[in-house]
């Protein structure tokens, strides 16, 4: 037990933690030079292309000190994006120490602070590391001072490394042995093992990645998941190396995998506790919560015959991503599809990209929405994540919308644009705090609905990419919200409905109508494009009818002859309008759904 060290790497996106993990694998001899490739622990093409970690990964390393002592390291690489904060918290729970990686060229970012606070709350030993010191633009002194101010360590405790060249990594390995405490000896207690990740294997079912906190889990033991009381046999247990390494038992302090022919990934929930069926623990490891989708969007195939393919694609994706939720939905305009729930915008983007790449399905996604709580006049409450489900105006007493607390870290010269952006998005100012190196941390409370659309893109473009954002959900608050409907010839187009703040509804409705007027092809009859709140029309545009010049054959003569022909044409158009249906082209949907805020 005294030879084991469990630690994770926490950092903001793009601060080099996957590269540093590569060097650790290389120097400890876990992988050979021939097997080596960049981002070794990231096994998705998407992760490599974008340079981000989407799923946390674990691996066991053997480390031999210069004096010959042998140690076993369990390294857990964590995602850096705010959408996956819950996964990070579970990975931290499985460790005794954390390597805090800070980019020596960029300094401390919002997600660094968020993950650091989580690690401190869990009581982990923090090893501060400045990465990328080989770059000419690195500033070890200035960034080192930021780290000192943040965690109260001394300059001497901060390690200087380069994940790319390997400089300083041997010293980091020594620091892990010296500073990270060994796991506690708790083998004689009832079994409690924390699930910090899970994947689905086509042949063996769900594989749970666990950290045994107390007790011993042996091959063949009957165990149960405490969150849902499902029971299974431990058919195989072992350690996580580059491939699975079977063993007879996992003891307190070990990190490894458990396979028990679990047919559904839904049973293996991240954060749940495994215990024995007989003489098992009664209290689970605290902190477990269901994955709660924050952003909802409709996913529809562009070709209606692809609906079944889309269903099977979502089923397969869900096997490897339990936080994705979906249910069938029908739209008059877009046909059959699914309403899917995501942890955040990056999660949504990744699911869309994987549907396109791995399953080759062309899809349309509707504008992302959040979930609202609606209190009706009879005091009952319902949850609404789709504008078409919103009750009529007369039935609603109050609509509550989710609010988040956003922490933005930025160079001081961009305070103005950031505050302007947050005020435009109905933000409530909380405070701002000046940090070292002319950087500021600004805190706002914002409606989640204002953040999901393009807030992050606008924040990056307004600060030339220097600002970083971290947010957490706080509560539901009452808001002046309305359902904005788009009507074509009096028929509602459900796919273009949205929930908007009353103050912005008029401008948004006017812009959508103007956009549709440009994009809907002209018909033989006039098409009215209207925006409405309830039964009140707030904006209107008309797509002019294609008209034939019926008076062309009249040379001179009485005006009543021409008028008679025009009236006859008018009657025909009126009759055509009653039977004619307006087809909305696909590009019109896409243009409206991708309208940026300046257009709105």
């Amino acid at each position: 037990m005294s030879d084991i060290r469990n630690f994770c790497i926490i950092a903001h996106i793009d601060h080099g933690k996957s590269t540093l993990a590569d060097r650790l694998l290389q120097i400890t001899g876990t992988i050979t030079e021939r097997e080596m490739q960049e981002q070794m622990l990231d096994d998705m093409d998407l992760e490599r292309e974008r340079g981000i970690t989407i799923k946390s990964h674990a691996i066991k390393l053997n480390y031999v000190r210069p004096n010959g002592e042998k140690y076993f390291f369990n390294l857990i690489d964590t995602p850096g994006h705010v959408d996956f904060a819950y996964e990070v918290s579970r990975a931290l729970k499985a460790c005794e120490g954390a390597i805090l990686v800070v980019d020596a060229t960029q300094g401390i970012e919002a997600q660094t602070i968020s993950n650091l606070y989580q690690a401190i709350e869990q009581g982990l030993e923090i090893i501060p590391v400045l990465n990328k010191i080989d770059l000419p633009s690195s500033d070890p002194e200035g960034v080192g001072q930021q780290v000192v101010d943040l965690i109260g360590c001394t300059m001497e405790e901060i390690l200087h490394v380069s994940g790319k060249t390997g400089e300083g990594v041997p010293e980091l390995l020594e620091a892990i042995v010296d500073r990270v405490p060994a796991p506690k000896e708790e083998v004689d207690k009832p079994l409690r093992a924390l699930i910090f990740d899970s994947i689905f294997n086509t042949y063996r079912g769900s594989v749970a990645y666990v950290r045994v906190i107390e007790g011993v889990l042996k091959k063949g033991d009957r165990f149960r998941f405490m969150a849902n009381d499902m029971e299974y046999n431990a058919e195989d247990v072992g350690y996580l190396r580059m491939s699975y390494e079977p063993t007879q038992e996992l003891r307190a302090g070990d990190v490894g995998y458990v396979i028990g022919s679990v047919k559904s990934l839904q049973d293996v929930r991240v954060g749940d506790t495994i215990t024995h069926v007989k003489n098992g623990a009664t209290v689970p490891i605290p902190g477990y919560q269901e994955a709660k989708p924050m952003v909802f969007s409709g996913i529809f195939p562009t070709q209606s015959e692809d609906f079944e393919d889309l269903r099977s694609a979502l089923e397969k994706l869900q096997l490897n991503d339990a936080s994705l939720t979906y249910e069938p939905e029908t739209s008059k305009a877009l046909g059959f599809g699914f309403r899917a729930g995501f942890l955040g915008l990056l999660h949504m983007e990744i699911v869309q990209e994987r549907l396109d790449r791995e399953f080759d399905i062309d899809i349309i996604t509707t504008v992302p929405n959040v979930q609202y709580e609606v209190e009706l006049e009879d005091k009952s409450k319902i949850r609404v994540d789709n504008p078409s489900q919103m009750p009529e105006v007369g039935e609603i007493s109050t609509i509550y919308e989710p609010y988040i607390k956003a922490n933005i870290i930025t160079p001081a010269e961009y305070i103005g644009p950031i505050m302007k952006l947050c005020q435009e998005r109905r933000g409530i100012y909380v405070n701002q705090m000046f940090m070292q190196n002319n950087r500021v941390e600004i805190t706002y409370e914002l409606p989640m609905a204002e953040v999901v659309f393009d807030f992050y893109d606008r924040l990056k473009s307004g600060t030339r990419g220097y600002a970083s954002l971290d947010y957490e959900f706080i509560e539901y608050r009452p808001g002046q919200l309305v359902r904005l409907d788009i009507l074509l010839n009096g028929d509602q187009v459900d796919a273009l409905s949205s929930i908007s703040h009353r103050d912005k509804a008029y401008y948004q409705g006017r812009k959508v109508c103007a956009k549709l007027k440009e994009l809907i092809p002209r018909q033989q009859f006039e098409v009215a494009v209207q925006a409405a709140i309830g039964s009140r029309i707030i904006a209107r545009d008309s797509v002019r009818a294609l008209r034939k010049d019926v008076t062309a054959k009249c040379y001179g003569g009485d005006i009543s002859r021409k008028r008679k022909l025009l009236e006859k044409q008018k009657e025909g158009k009126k009759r055509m309008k009653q039977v004619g249906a307006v087809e909305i082209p696909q590009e019109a949907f896409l243009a409206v759904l991708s309208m940026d805020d300046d257009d709105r």
Side-chain angles (χ1 to χ4, degrees), residues 90-148:
R90 299 299 83 204
L92 293 174
K93 192 85 179 167
C95 302
E96 279 82 32
I99 298 175
L100 176 70
V101 177
V102 179
D103 187 333
T105 62
Q106 295 182 47
I108 285 172
E109 308 262 14
Q111 194 60 36
T112 317
I113 294 178
S114 166
N115 287 344
L116 172 70
Y117 286 161
Q118 285 199 42
I120 291 171
E121 274 174 34
Q122 309 271 18
L124 269 59
E125 182 64 40
I126 310 291
I127 301 176
V129 169
L130 293 187
N131 194 18
K132 306 191 186 178
I133 58 159
D134 57 310
L135 296 181
S137 57
S138 71
D139 177 17
E141 287 297 316
V143 177
Q145 190 57 50
Q146 289 180 24
V147 175
V148 169

Side-chain angles (χ1 to χ4, degrees), residues 95-245:
C95 302
E96 279 82 32
I99 298 175
L100 176 70
V101 177
V102 179
D103 187 333
T105 62
Q106 295 182 47
I108 285 172
E109 308 262 14
Q111 194 60 36
T112 317
I113 294 178
S114 166
N115 287 344
L116 172 70
Y117 286 161
Q118 285 199 42
I120 291 171
E121 274 174 34
Q122 309 271 18
L124 269 59
E125 182 64 40
I126 310 291
I127 301 176
V129 169
L130 293 187
N131 194 18
K132 306 191 186 178
I133 58 159
D134 57 310
L135 296 181
S137 57
S138 71
D139 177 17
E141 287 297 316
V143 177
Q145 190 57 50
Q146 289 180 24
V147 175
V148 169
D149 293 345
L150 184 65
I151 62 176
C153 62
T154 63
M155 275 291 207
E156 291 70 43
E157 290 176 53
I158 302 172
L159 300 173
H160 293 199
V161 306
S162 165
K164 197 169 186 180
T165 64
E167 181 187 343
V169 177
E171 289 80 354
L172 173 59
L173 289 164
E174 284 295 303
I176 292 167
V177 173
D178 295 334
R179 296 195 209 172
V180 176
K184 290 177 186 166
E185 287 270 6
E186 295 188 327
V187 182
D188 47 353
K189 293 188 176 179
L191 172 69
R192 288 204 305 174
L194 172 78
I195 301 172
F196 63 84
D197 197 9
S198 62
I199 64 158
F200 189 81
N201 183 303
T202 317
Y203 305 105
R204 310 192 70 180
S206 290
V207 182
Y209 291 175
V210 298
R211 154 72 199 272
V212 183
I213 307 289
E214 296 168 354
V216 181
L217 178 62
K218 295 180 179 174
K219 187 175 177 178
D221 282 357
R222 185 92 175 146
F223 68 87
R224 71 183 175 93
F225 298 121
M226 295 184 82
N228 54 14
D229 268 345
M230 302 291 279
E231 296 181 8
Y232 295 97
N233 286 324
E235 293 172 7
D236 191 11
V237 298
Y239 300 120
L240 296 159
R241 296 200 184 267
M242 288 313 291
S243 55
Y244 295 152
E245 184 183 285

